Amino acid sequence: MTTILLIDDEPRMLDLLSLYLEPRFHCISMSSIQDALAYLEEQHVDLILLDIMMPEMDGWQVCQEIRKYWNVPIIMLTAKGEQTDIVKGLNLGADDYMLKPFDEEELLARIHAVLRRTKPIGNEIIFEGLRLNKESFELHFQQEEIALTPKEFSMIALFLEYQNKVFSREHLINSVWGFNVSIEDRTIDSHVRNLREKLRKSGFPADHYLQTVWGIGYKWHKSIDADG
């Protein structure tokens, strides 16, 4: 089931959103920004509903912080209706904007629309000429197949599915090799190096996208213009 993370400091609003959405989605409610960010570190969500007026930091700051590490779609919720506020939210990485009070049917329609735009189609992920098929375990660049080992395939599938998310070496070990497996960090580095080399040989500009986050691990930049 599609998981939606609800971030709002008002318990009544969280209850209302859950009431609207729970029959169709699995909802996780968070009133604390720090708790929400910690949850994102450990768990996958498909969409975030984010309130702007929060006590710890405003929704714009939260949106910026999320965009540093995750590519999860964000719909911002606010009573602010100024055009400048809407533009600001969209420029900071929000995918849509809903004004309070909102109509239940419109909210559901906007959620479905954002999910349609941002979710991979079926078992394929397409990115800048790369086409990854999770069912056939094949990766192509501009119609030419790139031969990958099973671990390399699992690694790039993870990167492409969670673009802009920073993966620690430990996270990659647990995700690709499994828990309770004795793997050294240099094994991860070797696999990333081999993956980069295969992408380069195919003509794909791997160095622009598959980047090292020094002292932490690796990330796949969504945009070639991203800093890093």
Side-chain angles (χ1 to χ4, degrees):
M1 180 180 286
T2 298
T3 298
I4 298 181
L5 177 60
L6 312 174
I7 307 176
D8 197 305
D9 65 313
E10 297 182 23
R12 289 178 60 189
M13 180 55 65
L14 290 174
D15 290 343
L16 182 63
L17 288 169
S18 295
L19 182 65
Y20 284 165
L21 303 176
E22 274 292 356
R24 300 168 179 84
F25 305 103
H26 174 53
C27 294
I28 304 296
S29 297
M30 295 279 180
S31 58
S32 163
I33 297 300
Q34 296 307 320
D35 287 348
L37 294 176
Y39 185 85
L40 286 170
E41 287 282 355
E42 301 296 332
Q43 304 292 333
H44 168 70
V45 303
D46 297 289
L47 184 139
I48 296 172
L49 292 182
L50 172 62
D51 184 47
I52 285 186
M53 303 306 291
M54 300 281 289
E56 298 171 70
M57 63 175 76
D58 64 42
W60 293 307
Q61 293 172 300
V62 179
C63 185
Q64 284 182 297
E65 191 66 20
I66 291 171
R67 281 289 169 262
K68 288 180 184 177
Y69 306 105
W70 300 285
N71 193 40
V72 57
I74 299 170
I75 298 178
M76 303 190 83
L77 304 175
T78 183
K80 288 177 170 288
E82 295 294 330
Q83 186 72 20
T84 53
D85 292 324
I86 296 174
V87 172
K88 181 177 180 179
L90 295 174
N91 284 338
L92 290 176
D95 295 271
D96 206 347
Y97 207 102
M98 281 288 293
L99 298 180
K100 298 178 182 178
F102 44 77
D103 176 75
E104 176 186 355
E105 292 303 318
E106 182 183 358
L107 176 62
L108 288 170
R110 286 179 180 270
I111 288 172
H112 285 300
V114 169
L115 289 173
R116 281 197 302 271
R117 293 199 304 266
T118 57
K119 270 200 166 185
I121 300 173
N123 289 308
E124 284 195 336
I125 302 175
I126 299 172
F127 181 92
E128 300 292 342
L130 287 174
R131 182 184 295 269
L132 181 143
N133 190 303
K134 292 187 286 184
E135 191 171 72
S136 64
F137 291 92
E138 292 177 339
L139 178 70
H140 290 81
F141 178 61
Q142 296 179 347
Q143 310 306 319
E144 294 294 324
E145 184 174 0
I146 303 172
L148 300 178
T149 67
K151 300 301 185 190
E152 290 166 354
F153 184 89
S154 296
M155 193 173 286
I156 193 169
L158 195 65
F159 286 134
L160 288 175
E161 193 164 0
Y162 301 101
Q163 297 166 33
N164 284 344
K165 177 177 172 62
V166 178
F167 287 96
S168 67
R169 289 173 176 82
E170 182 181 3
H171 193 155
L172 289 171
I173 290 171
N174 292 336
S175 297
V176 176
W177 276 264
F179 291 89
N180 301 318
V181 175
S182 179
I183 297 290
E184 296 182 355
D185 286 355
R186 62 184 179 182
T187 300
I188 294 294
D189 298 335
S190 176
H191 276 74
V192 171
R193 185 167 58 250
N194 292 340
L195 179 57
R196 278 202 190 109
E197 183 61 25
K198 290 180 178 182
L199 290 170
R200 287 193 205 104
K201 285 184 177 179
S202 75
F204 182 80
D207 296 325
H208 292 300
Y209 296 104
L210 180 48
Q211 299 210 349
T212 301
V213 181
W214 297 109
I216 303 177
Y218 299 95
K219 72 181 292 187
W220 186 280
H221 275 301
K222 183 180 180 182
S223 170
I224 198 170
D225 295 321
D227 296 330

